Amino acid sequence: MRVAVVGAGGWGEHHARIFVRREDTELCAIVGRTPEKTRRRAEKYGATPYTDLDLMLERERPGLVTVCLPNEDHYDLTLELVRTGVPLLVEKPLVFDLTEADTLLSEAGDTFFAINFNHRYAEPVQRAKALIDAGELGELVFATWRFGGEANHGNSPHANLIETQCHGFDLLEHLVGPISALSAHMTDKTYGAFSTVALALDFENRAVGTMLGSYDSSYAYPDTQRVEINGTRGRLVIHDTVRALTFSKAGDPVEQRWHSTYFDDESRSFAGTFDRHVDAVLRALRAGERPPVHARAGRRALALAHAAIESHATGRTVRSIPWTGPTRS
């Protein structure tokens, strides 16, 4: 399958790395905004550089286009691409504006339109999902998400909430179930944006939860990303997405722990979660199936973020945050 990557930035290099190394894909093109930077990236991976998207599509005719642009610059180019009908895999966040999200989904129709919520593909997360689905935790009662690191400054005062904590919204709903209500506290004390947020959650299954997300912390801290899910029969903790999973049964002081083995470098790599997602994306695309994580999941995370913004602005809990789309991803 011929694949074109739109974006020549840092995470965009992982897009190029994945498709040039696979035996079942050919990285045919890199599209960027800066000619020299785009040329260097394309030369590094043996692809053709383009600064004209339409010209690339005409000449290369890719079977899949992946998009990795600056977080607040997703809409215009993604809209142009969905109108061509080419299968897409886009980076999170989908966009910052709900109207724009709805336009993208409406224009895409039944076109293959995937979003990269790669945390779902971490080994600890997949093992956690299996434990929950097998009933090992019993009835889920509460869940917590914490994710904090250095600032990624942007134009939006809610950049942290929309572009980074979207992973938290998606993963908690993936593991626990739909969020039915939330209330929010936020602070802009450090540099003017709402760089740290604390949310209280209700789930449809009557569990409760919390989210703490920050751009005023450091990725150097141990457990800067931590997910805890507690049920009537047990508790699990995901440490730093890929580092470890611990599981304890209620009343048992002996803890079970998964960690990557000596030779298993792949499962301890955060970038490797994207490789795993691409495996699933290509299987679905070749089989004519819907994406494993449809772009509608990006719209859902954005809706939850906007509910948090509304809650903070009004000082009230926001309830009834409906899922939009024919099926949940």
Side-chain angles (χ1 to χ4, degrees):
M1 181 178 293
R2 292 169 62 78
V3 180
V5 172
V6 178
W11 188 250
E13 183 152 25
H14 287 291
H15 288 238
R17 169 189 61 80
I18 289 171
F19 292 107
V20 81
R21 291 181 180 180
R22 295 183 65 99
E23 295 181 354
D24 60 349
T25 58
E26 175 191 355
L27 179 64
C28 62
I30 302 289
V31 181
R33 295 179 293 185
T34 306
E36 181 58 24
K37 184 178 181 180
T38 305
R39 182 191 64 76
R40 289 197 304 267
R41 176 66 54 79
E43 285 184 353
K44 180 177 180 180
Y45 290 101
T48 303
Y50 291 89
T51 55
D52 186 318
L53 179 64
D54 292 334
L55 182 62
M56 183 279 291
L57 293 171
E58 178 184 346
R59 289 183 176 177
E60 303 294 342
R61 300 190 179 278
L64 175 68
V65 174
T66 75
V67 183
C68 185
L69 297 172
N71 286 312
E72 297 181 53
D73 296 336
H74 289 186
Y75 177 67
D76 290 338
L77 192 140
T78 305
L79 179 61
E80 183 177 349
L81 282 165
V82 298
R83 284 174 170 168
T84 71
V86 65
L88 289 178
L89 169 61
V90 299
E91 278 298 334
K92 60 78 199 171
L94 181 60
V95 283
F96 276 61
D97 181 86
L98 281 169
T99 300
E100 292 180 349
D102 289 337
T103 298
L104 290 176
L105 292 169
S106 175
E107 292 282 344
D110 293 331
T111 299
F112 190 95
F113 191 11
I115 191 167
N116 186 29
F117 279 136
N118 55 301
H119 282 238
R120 293 194 194 190
Y121 289 86
E123 185 73 20
V125 173
Q126 295 192 329
R127 289 175 178 267
K129 184 76 163 63
L131 286 169
I132 293 168
D133 290 348
E136 293 293 330
L137 273 69
E139 289 292 328
L140 301 185
V141 180
F142 71 80
T144 66
W145 161 279
R146 185 182 72 218
F147 192 21
E150 287 81 12
N152 182 22
H153 296 287
N155 294 320
S156 170
H158 299 288
N160 170 49
L161 179 66
I162 292 174
E163 70 191 22
T164 295
Q165 306 314 320
C166 61
H167 281 299
F169 290 128
D170 181 72
L171 196 65
L172 286 179
E173 290 205 318
H174 178 60
L175 295 175
V176 181
I179 294 168
S180 59
L182 59 78
S183 59
H185 295 268
M186 307 182 188
T187 181
D188 58 357
K189 69 183 295 184
T190 55
Y191 60 88
F194 292 107
S195 51
T196 294
V197 301
L199 312 180
L201 312 173
D202 287 337
F203 293 90
E204 285 186 6
N205 62 10
R206 298 178 63 200
V208 296
T210 62
M211 286 180 62
L212 179 64
S214 181
Y215 275 171
D216 300 311
S217 186
S218 174
Y219 294 116
Y221 298 155
D223 265 4
T224 194
Q225 197 277 336
R226 189 178 192 273
V227 178
E228 176 182 343
I229 301 177
N230 191 98
T232 54
R233 296 180 57 193
R235 183 193 78 163
L236 63 82
V237 179
I238 298 165
H239 304 268
D240 285 331
T241 309
V242 295
R243 185 163 60 87
L245 170 71
T246 56
F247 172 63
S248 302
K249 295 182 178 180
D252 186 348
V254 179
E255 178 183 83
Q256 301 177 42
R257 180 181 180 89
W258 173 89
H259 63 274
S260 180
T261 57
Y262 181 80
F263 290 109
D264 188 14
D265 291 330
E266 182 272 337
S267 65
R268 70 169 65 94
S269 165
F270 180 77
T273 62
F274 186 22
D275 294 66
R276 290 180 172 200
H277 187 194
V278 167
D279 287 342
V281 165
L282 291 175
R283 282 196 301 269
L285 182 55
R286 288 192 169 101
E289 299 171 352
R290 64 193 300 270
V293 188
H294 194 280
R296 284 189 295 269
R299 201 274 183 198
R300 171 62 177 177
L302 182 62
L304 292 167
H306 276 266
I309 294 167
E310 178 186 346
S311 172
H312 179 251
T314 63
R316 299 176 180 175
T317 297
V318 176
R319 302 186 184 277
S320 300
I321 310 164
W323 175 264
T324 59
T327 56
R328 281 185 52 78
S329 180

